């Protein structure tokens, strides 16, 4: 690909000629100067299967198709990793704001269904749940490292409603934000 060798396809242990005896005679001539057990070689040689050049070409094309599939699969994974990183970057940069799925889709130039599919497949949960978990994670960091009020922490995490923040935080951690802050203050 682009003058870079990605791999090799090698065939062995088959014959591409029906005249095994003539092929063996050629091999025997070329091996005369070597110490070779011709009897063992002949026995092994005549066990080889014949495959026509069209069969060999077909097998080669199948191998090429498989190699292309593997190569393209890696490309898809690399592209998907970039999309996942962009999604995470967008969410992290806007975590303290109210943003919509439509804004993410527009920014990343992907469809809503593709965004939801990626979220479920790579984050293991829906997008709203993923964003909520990231917001609670950020809230835990802020609560551990600062003396900000719970209301300020909620706003820094993009949750303007104190009561909703309190409810979600307690559900995720098992502690109220103030209990969590007292227990985990650094």
């Amino acid at each position: 690909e682009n003058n870079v060798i990605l791999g090799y396809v090698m065939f062995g242990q088959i014959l591409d000629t029906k005249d095994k005896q003539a092929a063996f005679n050629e091999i025997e001539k070329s091996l005369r100067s070597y110490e070779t057990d011709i009897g063992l070689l002949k026995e092994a040689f005549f066990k080889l299967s014949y495959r026509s050049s069209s069969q060999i070409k077909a097998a080669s094309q199948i191998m090429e198709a498989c190699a292309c599939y593997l190569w393209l699969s890696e490309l898809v994974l690399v592209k998907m990793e970039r999309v996942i990183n962009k999604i995470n970057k967008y969410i992290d940069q806007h975590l303290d704001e109210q943003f919509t799925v439509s804004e993410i889709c527009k920014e990343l130039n992907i469809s809503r269904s593709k965004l939801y599919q990626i979220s479920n497949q790579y984050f293991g949960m829906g997008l709203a749940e993923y964003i909520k978990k990231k917001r609670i994670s950020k809230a835990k960091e802020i609560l551990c490292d600062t003396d900000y009020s719970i209301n300020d922490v909620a706003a820094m995490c993009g949750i303007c409603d104190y009561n909703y923040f309190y409810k979600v935080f307690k559900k995720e951690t098992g502690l109220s934000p103030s209990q969590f802050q007292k227990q985990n203050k650094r």
Side-chain angles (χ1 to χ4, degrees):
E1 178 64 27
N2 295 326
N3 295 322
V4 174
I5 296 173
L6 301 176
Y8 296 93
V9 175
M10 295 174 54
F11 290 96
Q13 309 305 317
I14 58 172
L15 292 174
D16 63 352
T17 181
K18 287 184 178 180
D19 189 353
K20 288 185 178 182
Q21 187 60 54
F24 184 76
N25 292 342
E26 288 296 314
I27 292 172
E28 192 175 22
K29 277 185 213 175
S30 63
L31 293 176
R32 283 190 183 142
S33 60
Y34 299 99
E35 291 183 30
T36 306
D37 185 338
I38 298 297
L40 281 175
L41 179 64
K42 187 173 186 175
E43 183 183 331
F45 183 83
F46 280 93
K47 288 181 182 177
L48 294 177
S49 300
Y50 162 77
R51 296 291 179 258
S52 69
S53 58
S54 62
Q55 287 174 312
I56 294 171
K57 186 175 181 180
S60 174
Q61 289 171 335
I62 291 169
M63 294 295 289
E64 183 180 4
C66 291
C68 286
Y69 171 76
L70 292 172
W71 182 70
L72 288 172
S73 294
E74 287 297 312
L75 281 181
V76 170
L77 287 176
V78 169
K79 184 178 178 187
M80 191 55 64
E81 285 177 13
R82 281 191 225 129
V83 172
I84 293 165
N85 288 338
K86 286 180 181 180
I87 292 169
N88 270 318
K89 184 176 180 182
Y90 184 90
I91 292 170
D92 289 342
Q93 288 176 340
H94 298 87
L95 209 53
D96 60 342
E97 305 167 16
Q98 296 295 313
F99 57 89
T100 65
V101 170
S102 296
E103 290 169 334
I104 297 172
C105 292
K106 185 177 178 183
E107 179 72 25
L108 302 179
N109 197 29
I110 59 174
S111 70
R112 181 181 289 265
S113 61
K114 186 67 174 176
L115 181 61
Y116 287 133
Q117 178 190 357
I118 290 169
S119 179
N120 284 317
Q121 186 175 356
Y122 292 94
F123 304 143
M125 62 191 77
L127 189 62
E129 182 71 15
Y130 183 68
I131 292 169
K132 180 175 69 174
K133 287 194 178 295
K134 287 186 82 81
R135 285 186 163 147
I136 297 303
S137 179
K138 182 177 179 180
K140 291 184 339 188
E141 286 177 32
I142 295 169
L143 288 168
C144 288
D145 295 335
T146 68
D147 289 322
Y148 288 119
S149 71
I150 306 303
N151 219 12
D152 289 342
V153 172
M156 291 173 168
C157 297
I159 304 173
C160 297
D161 182 346
Y162 172 83
N163 292 325
Y164 177 73
F165 174 74
Y166 182 93
K167 181 177 144 186
V168 169
F169 191 93
K170 186 160 185 168
K171 184 178 179 189
E172 287 292 316
T173 65
L175 300 169
S176 72
S178 54
Q179 289 171 328
F180 182 88
Q181 190 174 38
K182 286 176 189 169
Q183 287 184 11
N184 296 285
K185 194 75 175 144
R186 293 182 191 152

